[in-house]
Amino acid sequence: MTVLLLNRRRISAKELADRFEVSTKTIYRDMDTLSQAGIPVFAHQGTTGGFEIMEQYTISRQYLSLGEISSIIAAVKGIGTALQDATYASLHEKVTTLLHQSDKHQEGHRPESLVFDLNPWGLGQAARDKVNTFRRAIEDTKLARFSYMNSNSSESERTVEPYALILKGNVWYLHAYCTLRRQFRVFRLSRVQQLVMLEERFERRAVPAMESYTWDSEWIGRLLARVTLLFQPQVRYRVGDSFHPDMIATLEDGSLRVEGEMTIDEWFFGMVLSYGSQVRVEHPFHIAEEVVRRARQIVASYEN
């Protein structure tokens, strides 16, 4: 309850009662208990009334368990792996000071039970440089210019007002206002080339919340289609790694049918071809034909 009050400016007795599934009478009794324990809780009357804690009051280390502090440390370390920023190394040191000496000794003699590694597998220095360049541009409100290539290999020059970096799954994206399209767009960083942070600054705009977005295939020029793939039993382990369980059905002979909306781009065809004879496109027919055409091109390149 104390943590909730610290994170909210003011909260009514009814809200607290609903949150903790008790009566408002119990809430008033709990508030008296908190006050007697030395926590500066104030009650305000009226329609906008409620309880709040003195603004200067902060939570003490004693309210955090060793496990909770360890989780915070793990999260901070995870952010540091993705951004390689000295700020997070310093933050890690500060958070670690929340541990008592006996806690530190205990932590040093047990394996980490929770690891946040926000650094995608195989991320090279060039990709990290993009992240750090955009981050500096966001902090300094400076424009950025880059060449952007979509999945159809169509390239365009973009100048953007960068607002936020997003790590979705294991892929970095940039949320920015595109001066070419004159609207906010989401760019995939792996498709960004020749990135330069400009000296010109920009005035911040009202930014649409990311929660209001639904995935738009136009962000990266992709086509969505409902596809059915049939995989042989020998590649079961790969199929489980590549597709959501809800898309996979196991047939009587042990083969796997994968069905669902998929993005039809170069990655898709590369993925299908990587399975060789262990997969067949059952639907739609035009995608199956395209896979066959590409396979024949591969064979022809060796014949020549």
Side-chain angles (χ1 to χ4, degrees):
M1 190 176 292
T2 304
V3 173
L4 185 62
L5 287 168
L6 281 168
N7 289 329
R8 300 275 293 274
R9 287 291 298 167
R10 186 178 298 179
I11 185 167
S12 69
K14 185 179 184 307
E15 287 180 272
L16 288 168
D18 292 342
R19 174 67 179 268
F20 294 103
E21 299 181 348
V22 297
S23 67
T24 54
K25 184 177 180 180
T26 299
I27 294 299
Y28 281 105
R29 187 165 55 244
D30 290 342
M31 290 301 153
D32 286 339
T33 302
L34 289 177
S35 295
Q36 292 171 15
I39 297 174
V41 179
F42 292 91
H44 297 268
Q45 304 299 321
T47 56
T48 61
F51 297 101
E52 66 179 58
I53 291 181
M54 181 187 295
E55 187 175 347
Q56 292 78 11
Y57 182 79
T58 57
I59 196 168
S60 130
R61 149 71 177 95
Q62 65 186 1
Y63 288 97
L64 297 173
S65 69
L66 174 59
E68 289 169 335
I69 295 174
S70 297
S71 296
I72 295 171
I73 292 172
V76 172
K77 287 174 66 176
I79 295 171
T81 62
L83 298 178
Q84 291 188 321
D85 190 319
T87 301
Y88 291 97
S90 174
L91 178 59
H92 176 260
E93 292 296 328
K94 291 177 181 177
V95 174
T96 304
T97 62
L98 294 173
L99 295 171
H100 296 309
Q101 289 302 320
S102 58
D103 294 336
K104 293 177 183 178
H105 179 77
Q106 183 178 341
E107 279 288 289
H109 287 79
R110 69 177 186 179
E112 292 180 310
S113 59
L114 186 63
V115 176
F116 294 98
D117 190 346
L118 304 183
N119 188 25
W121 292 106
L123 184 68
Q125 188 58 47
R128 293 191 184 95
D129 289 343
K130 291 180 191 176
V131 171
N132 289 325
T133 298
F134 277 128
R135 188 156 171 263
R136 290 196 303 273
I138 291 168
E139 292 174 350
D140 297 340
T141 61
K142 289 186 176 180
L143 296 173
R145 185 175 62 232
F146 53 84
S147 174
Y148 193 69
M149 182 175 293
N150 65 22
S151 58
N152 296 320
S153 298
S154 176
E155 191 171 352
S156 59
E157 295 296 320
R158 305 294 183 100
T159 299
V160 302
E161 301 170 4
Y163 283 88
L165 284 163
I166 306 157
L167 183 60
K168 188 74 172 177
N170 65 343
V171 179
W172 279 105
Y173 296 91
L174 173 73
H175 190 208
Y177 181 85
C178 178
T179 59
L180 177 65
R181 305 300 185 199
R182 296 186 178 181
Q183 60 181 258
F184 278 91
R185 303 295 286 259
V186 175
F187 299 93
R188 182 167 175 155
L189 260 61
S190 62
R191 300 186 187 279
V192 170
Q193 302 296 328
Q194 301 173 359
L195 171 62
V196 177
M197 183 176 71
L198 305 178
E199 288 303 314
E200 183 181 350
R201 295 180 178 273
F202 62 90
E203 293 292 329
R204 292 189 179 276
R205 304 170 188 266
V207 186
M210 288 305 300
E211 291 80 4
S212 66
Y213 280 84
T214 55
W215 182 252
D216 185 350
S217 60
E218 290 185 359
W219 285 347
I220 45 179
R222 293 178 172 180
L223 172 67
L224 290 175
R226 189 162 190 83
V227 179
T228 303
L229 305 173
L230 184 66
F231 292 89
Q232 295 301 310
Q234 295 89 328
V235 292
R236 173 186 298 273
Y237 71 99
R238 282 189 63 192
V239 174
D241 289 341
S242 302
F243 300 96
H244 192 280
D246 292 345
M247 300 173 67
I248 304 171
T250 303
L251 306 183
E252 291 184 0
D253 62 357
S255 59
L256 303 172
R257 176 173 285 123
V258 174
E259 186 173 8
E261 289 254 318
M262 299 184 195
T263 303
I264 311 305
D265 59 2
E266 291 299 321
W267 181 91
F268 170 83
F269 289 110
M271 178 273 296
V272 171
L273 290 168
S274 73
Y275 282 92
S277 61
Q278 304 298 320
V279 65
R280 186 175 77 248
V281 179
E282 290 192 325
H283 178 81
F285 182 68
H286 72 273
I287 291 179
E289 282 188 318
E290 177 62 16
V291 172
V292 171
R293 186 188 70 81
R294 290 170 180 249
R296 285 174 177 163
Q297 280 186 326
I298 293 172
V299 172
S301 69
Y302 284 95
E303 291 177 343
N304 296 331

